[in-house]
Amino acid sequence: MGMLKTMAQALKIPDIRKKLIFTILMLVIFRIGSNIPVPGMDRAILADVFSGGTGLFALFDLFSGGAFSNFTIFALGITPYITASIILQLLTIAIPALERLSKEGTEGRKKIAQYTRYLTVLLAVVQAIGVSIGLFRQALVSTDVFSVTVIVLVLTAGTAFLMWLGEQINEYGIGNGISLIIFAGIIARLPSAIQEIWVKLQEGSMSVVTLVVFVVFCIVVIVGIIEVQQGQRR
């Protein structure tokens, strides 16, 4: 109740209300893009590939908000950017020039952010090629160079656009843009995930005990993450 009261009071402040509306609009754009299919892919074959609903593909699809299984323009999600950020952080420790750059203040961070964008696009191209002519080659309507190039460019552009959306939220919205995009994708998949669990319970392919253990495990993980995140060294 206190949280709702705080939110109501915050919405009365024009600046916060404007940022909140902007953030919601950016997330709506993300969800719209998650339903725009990439041309040149056979949807029936893709449906067969994801019919099991388990494994690494299902996990990746969860983080992309269903864009991966539907092979939409945001199929790669924001993972290339996350990977690029991790690589740059590790290289900052290993390469003295980058370490000096990171200590140069705002200008140094801007340059590292720019390098991260370049690396994101490069990783997106590599992943797009791997996904299109590797994992889902059988779903290609045509395997000629032009068709594959279009698919790779569309997937790369989708990731670059998501990266831009996240940066816009950081600058003009509320919260961390990349985290909010991932959160929106997971929330979008919750209804279908709950329905799948209910169907499995009805069919008997999943027991109540398994579900309870899974829920308890999730709660423990969430509590642990919060404790570490909020921890302080006194």
Side-chain angles (χ1 to χ4, degrees):
M1 194 67 181
M3 183 179 69
L4 294 177
K5 185 178 179 180
T6 302
M7 289 182 63
Q9 292 176 348
L11 289 175
K12 295 179 181 178
I13 303 174
D15 186 49
I16 294 180
R17 184 169 62 248
K18 182 180 178 181
K19 288 185 176 183
L20 182 61
I21 293 173
F22 180 84
T23 302
I24 293 174
L25 287 176
M26 292 297 102
L27 295 180
V28 168
I29 292 174
F30 161 62
R31 290 309 305 158
I32 292 174
S34 297
N35 291 280
I36 301 176
V38 174
M41 300 297 292
D42 191 323
R43 306 294 151 188
I45 295 178
L46 287 174
D48 291 338
V49 172
F50 287 91
S51 59
T54 57
L56 186 60
F57 282 177
L59 180 62
F60 195 81
D61 190 47
L62 176 66
F63 286 117
S64 66
F68 186 61
S69 60
N70 296 321
F71 217 82
T72 67
I73 59 175
F74 294 155
L76 296 183
I78 202 66
T79 51
Y81 177 81
I82 297 173
T83 305
S85 299
I86 295 173
I87 291 175
L88 259 297
Q89 288 179 5
L90 294 175
L91 290 179
T92 300
I93 301 174
I95 301 177
L98 286 176
E99 185 178 4
R100 289 193 300 269
L101 195 62
S102 65
K103 296 178 180 179
E104 290 181 2
T106 304
E107 291 301 320
R109 288 193 294 270
K110 285 183 178 180
K111 289 184 179 179
I112 291 179
Q114 188 175 10
Y115 295 155
T116 304
R117 296 187 194 103
Y118 294 151
L119 184 57
T120 297
V121 173
L122 178 61
L123 291 176
V125 170
V126 173
Q127 290 187 24
I129 293 174
V131 168
S132 57
I133 65 176
L135 291 176
F136 303 126
R137 184 181 181 85
Q138 70 274 21
L140 290 173
V141 175
S142 175
T143 56
D144 62 86
V145 176
F146 177 77
S147 299
V148 174
T149 301
V150 169
I151 294 173
V152 171
L153 290 178
V154 169
L155 291 175
T156 303
T159 294
F161 185 73
L162 281 183
M163 178 175 59
W164 179 81
L165 277 184
E167 292 178 349
Q168 295 303 301
I169 294 175
N170 290 341
E171 188 171 355
Y172 302 109
I174 295 177
N176 183 283
I178 303 302
S179 299
L180 286 175
I181 289 174
I182 297 174
F183 174 75
I186 295 174
I187 291 298
R189 293 292 294 168
L190 274 182
S192 59
I194 293 174
Q195 182 183 10
E196 289 177 7
I197 292 174
W198 176 254
V199 170
K200 289 181 179 181
L201 287 174
Q202 295 294 315
E203 294 175 347
S205 57
M206 176 184 289
S207 65
V208 178
V209 176
T210 302
L211 179 60
V212 171
V213 171
F214 176 74
V215 171
V216 171
F217 176 76
C218 289
I219 293 174
V220 171
V221 170
I222 292 172
V223 171
I225 292 173
I226 293 173
E227 288 294 326
V228 173
Q229 182 68 26
Q230 298 299 323
Q232 296 180 358
R233 180 179 180 181
R234 300 185 185 278

